[in-house]
Amino acid sequence: MSTPVRLAVVGAGSRGTNYARLAADVGAVVVAVAEPDPVRRELFAAEFSLSPEAVFVTWEDLVVAPRSADAVVIATQDRGHTAPAVAFAHAGFDILLEKPIAPTEGEATQIVEAVEATGVIMAVGHVMRYSDYTRALKELLRAGAIGKIVSVEHLEPIGWWHFAHSYVRGNWRREETSSSMLMAKSSHDLDWLSYIVGRPVRRVSSFGGLYWFRPENKPAKAADRCVDCPLQKTCAYSATQIYEGFLEDPSYRVWPLGVLTPNPTAETVRNALETGPYGACVYNGQNDVADHQVVNLEFDDGSTAAFTAVAFTQLEFRKTRIFGTEGSIDGDGQNLTILDFATGQTRILDTMPAGGASAADGHGGADGRLVEAFLHAVAARDGSGLSPARESLESHQLVWAAERARERGEVVTL
């Protein structure tokens, strides 16, 4: 960027801080923050050398302050997206909005309409679209490497401890205060499937629910808190085993440890486990979102996709198999294995992702690619390299359709 993009951040949690760091790494200047938590606010301000006039408690204070930023990252909790996104759009800020756009269709539509009415650039944090892996896969499909797509099989292996962290103990444990698991975790995936197949979805069905993390499955000897539990050394979901183990690896400092406490140390993590939600037994009944779900999609040409999201796995890259009329592709987030039916030959394309699949690793470099694409769009005043806001809304509509299908036991026609 010949002229650095000036960036403000609303929400200095793990995602907001991560996006800010990635932006600074490629030449953007972080110029302001709005964060209600005083410790997180002060840590963020110190890291990015912000003056006191550039540090705000609320986004309302930031949006009416003298303009210092070209664009804003909005990384509040899901149900806190709508008001700031609409306000910053009307104030003329370009917006990087963490996914989902909003938990409800009405709120998400309100944001998209504000963006369209004002002409600002908006990127939704569907980072999977921007990875080198996805770009390579999309180019293979555009080139006709396997003919026409007939069917897709796609798996999101959430990871047992990640699910316990985010969807049993964490901010997305209850739908009424956040969103469904499918929206919070897998709006990525339905957006990605729509992008990869490149056709409108005609019908949706879905099954799943909360299978395991329920009070009736709590072991007889289990305590309400892991620090007090006689099973903490043998339980797969032991908070002490999970989080205290992560203290040995600095890559986990921002996520997940930084979610427990703004300044992770052995002492602060232990205190969080003794007093906060991340030390609670996963069988206490504090959660109600699905821990496994399948979604079936039928596209307008009759092709299909089957998607599975499941907690009970290692935390890995998504796994995808694409079946075409002239070949097939197997993908594991790094390698794409292409089979040509006519020749019987197989070739492997290594897309060499930067890091692993988790947020701690930047989702294999996809976080960085999203930030780079957004900053380029802002600097060039050209959002054509981003997924359009209306297209992101349409992929969210697949999530709402899938949830209606799951809850009502019916096939939903779009």
Side-chain angles (χ1 to χ4, degrees):
M1 295 175 289
S2 56
T3 302
V5 171
R6 300 169 302 165
L7 199 64
V9 175
V10 174
S14 61
R15 294 303 286 163
T17 301
N18 183 50
Y19 284 142
R21 287 171 175 164
L22 291 169
D25 286 345
V26 293
V29 180
V30 179
V31 297
V33 67
E35 168 57 53
D37 183 280
V39 177
R40 294 185 188 280
R41 186 170 64 244
E42 290 170 12
L43 287 171
F44 188 98
E47 178 171 349
F48 294 98
S49 302
L50 301 181
S51 65
E53 308 84 58
V55 180
F56 302 88
V57 176
T58 71
W59 67 263
E60 290 94 339
D61 295 332
L62 172 57
V63 76
V64 299
R67 180 76 174 262
S68 63
D70 305 300
V72 61
V73 172
I74 298 177
T76 59
Q77 288 298 306
D78 299 356
R79 292 188 179 271
H81 284 184
T82 305
V86 170
F88 279 100
H90 283 294
F93 288 78
D94 297 322
I95 300 169
L96 173 55
L97 178 63
E98 175 60 344
K99 60 87 184 167
I101 298 174
T104 70
E105 188 164 7
E107 290 175 301
T109 300
Q110 185 181 352
I111 292 172
V112 171
E113 288 178 346
V115 167
E116 292 176 340
T118 58
V120 300
I121 292 168
M122 183 174 82
V124 178
H126 287 307
V127 299
M128 288 175 62
R129 279 194 180 220
Y130 297 89
S131 69
D132 293 341
Y133 171 83
T134 297
R135 292 176 179 177
L137 174 57
K138 188 67 174 177
E139 186 54 41
L140 286 170
L141 296 172
R142 284 197 190 103
I146 61 170
K148 292 186 175 181
I149 295 174
V150 179
S151 191
V152 182
E153 181 183 280
H154 184 62
L155 168 68
E156 158 137 43
I158 299 172
W160 83 96
W161 68 261
H162 179 196
F163 190 90
H165 168 75
S166 295
Y167 304 98
V168 180
R169 296 174 168 126
N171 293 320
W172 296 274
R173 61 184 178 265
R174 298 193 68 83
E175 185 170 352
E176 67 180 1
T177 57
S178 57
S179 60
S180 67
M181 181 278 289
L182 193 67
M183 179 62 80
K185 188 71 181 80
S186 301
S187 56
H188 274 319
D189 297 274
L190 296 187
D191 176 79
W192 188 83
L193 285 168
S194 298
Y195 176 63
I196 290 299
V197 176
R199 303 198 65 91
V201 173
R202 181 167 61 191
R203 295 194 297 171
V204 181
S205 68
S206 184
F207 303 91
L210 180 58
Y211 182 89
W212 184 244
F213 299 103
R214 307 166 68 94
E216 57 266 34
N217 294 320
K218 187 172 184 175
K221 296 181 180 179
D224 286 341
R225 284 200 166 270
C226 294
V227 293
D228 303 319
C229 188
L231 307 178
Q232 63 181 290
K233 297 296 185 183
T234 56
C235 175
Y237 306 101
S238 166
T240 53
Q241 293 284 88
I242 293 169
Y243 297 115
E244 291 176 358
F246 287 156
L247 282 166
E248 301 172 4
D249 188 339
S251 67
Y252 291 109
R253 181 175 175 81
V254 173
W255 187 90
L257 294 178
V259 179
L260 276 68
T261 173
N263 186 23
T265 65
E267 182 180 356
T268 60
V269 168
R270 185 70 179 187
N271 182 64
L273 298 185
E274 291 173 348
T275 62
Y278 293 95
C281 177
V282 294
Y283 303 106
N284 281 354
Q286 65 269 51
N287 54 296
D288 64 5
V289 296
D291 56 20
H292 70 118
Q293 190 164 351
V294 295
V295 179
N296 300 308
L297 307 174
E298 181 185 58
F299 297 89
D300 66 345
D301 65 345
S303 59
T304 57
F307 167 61
T308 298
V310 61
F312 308 101
T313 67
Q314 290 185 330
L315 199 171
E316 299 178 307
F317 285 112
R318 274 82 165 175
K319 315 293 183 186
T320 309
R321 304 178 72 191
I322 305 176
F323 308 99
T325 55
E326 298 176 22
S328 64
I329 299 175
D330 282 18
D332 63 3
Q334 174 175 335
N335 294 313
L336 295 163
T337 302
I338 306 103
L339 170 64
D340 185 315
F341 292 163
T343 65
Q345 293 182 341
T346 296
R347 60 189 174 101
I348 299 175
L349 178 62
D350 184 351
T351 64
M352 296 179 290
S358 76
D361 296 308
H363 298 108
D367 289 1
R369 293 300 192 199
L370 166 65
V371 170
E372 289 171 5
F374 175 68
L375 294 175
H376 175 79
V378 172
R381 304 310 309 152
D382 179 6
S384 60
L386 305 173
S387 56
R390 181 67 55 173
E391 194 171 304
S392 293
L393 175 61
E394 290 171 356
S395 71
H396 280 53
Q397 288 169 336
L398 298 182
V399 177
W400 293 310
E403 285 299 275
R404 289 196 299 273
R406 181 177 72 91
E407 292 166 0
R408 300 174 186 175
E410 62 186 30
V411 175
V412 174
T413 299
L414 299 176

